[in-house]
Amino acid sequence: MSDNTEAAARLRIQEGFSHIFPANTMEAWVTDMGQEYLSLEFRFHVSMCGSLGIGGHLLRWSEAQRAEAARWIALYKEIRPIIQFGDLYRLRSPQTHAFSAVQYVSKDRSEGFSLLSVRICPFRPTCRPFTCAARSRKPL
């Protein structure tokens, strides 16, 4: 796969990986790489597209960041079967568009989860991601 853990770059890396391998074989780590310009929320969203792992220095995270991480981990545990064992639909590529979108649907088609991510612009580090869950039909 890659040792690049910066979430904006991983959007493209993960897309390529997903053409050959299923999500449950993709280790996707939330790290501190890019924390100066990428929100913890965005780093979790990108990593939730595979087998979520935490590689950040947790002792350096604030109490609020650890609480936010706990919420994302709880959500991931809920949707993990859909992500890891469902079907992936690439709705919009981060290779060629300003935003990317992927959707995971359970094998029985009863549940789904979608991620919409605004690509981080290298010259405008204030760009922010937006992600939504189709399952709840509400923004996260």
Side-chain angles (χ1 to χ4, degrees):
M1 171 105 183
S2 173
D3 60 356
N4 185 349
T5 62
E6 197 265 354
R10 287 198 55 89
L11 284 173
R12 294 183 189 123
I13 294 166
Q14 290 177 185
E15 181 190 41
F17 186 88
S18 72
H19 282 280
I20 300 171
F21 300 103
N24 64 350
T25 65
M26 180 172 55
E27 295 179 0
W29 292 86
V30 176
T31 68
D32 296 329
M33 184 67 171
Q35 67 182 338
E36 302 81 22
Y37 53 90
L38 297 174
S39 68
L40 186 60
E41 174 186 31
F42 182 77
R43 290 181 279 148
F44 263 95
H45 291 175
V46 172
S47 294
M48 288 168 65
C49 290
S51 294
L52 176 67
I54 309 297
H57 195 308
L58 300 178
L59 295 177
R60 292 185 183 154
W61 289 12
S62 69
E63 189 64 37
Q65 288 174 311
R66 287 192 298 274
E68 180 182 351
R71 288 190 303 273
W72 291 120
I73 292 166
L75 174 62
Y76 181 75
K77 287 180 177 181
E78 183 182 336
I79 64 171
R80 178 174 40 202
I82 300 168
I83 302 269
Q84 291 189 5
F85 304 109
D87 293 322
L88 168 62
Y89 296 92
R90 291 168 209 85
L91 307 177
R92 197 152 178 128
S93 173
Q95 309 285 351
T96 57
H97 295 88
F99 68 90
S100 66
V102 294
Q103 182 177 42
Y104 297 87
V105 179
S106 62
K107 289 290 185 188
D108 67 2
R109 305 283 187 250
S110 65
E111 297 180 289
F113 184 79
S114 298
L115 288 170
L116 171 69
S117 300
V118 174
R119 185 169 53 198
I120 303 301
C121 310
F123 303 109
R124 294 182 53 202
T126 57
C127 293
R128 301 270 314 183
F130 172 77
T131 305
C132 64
R135 182 174 187 203
S136 65
R137 304 251 178 210
K138 297 181 204 172
L140 291 177

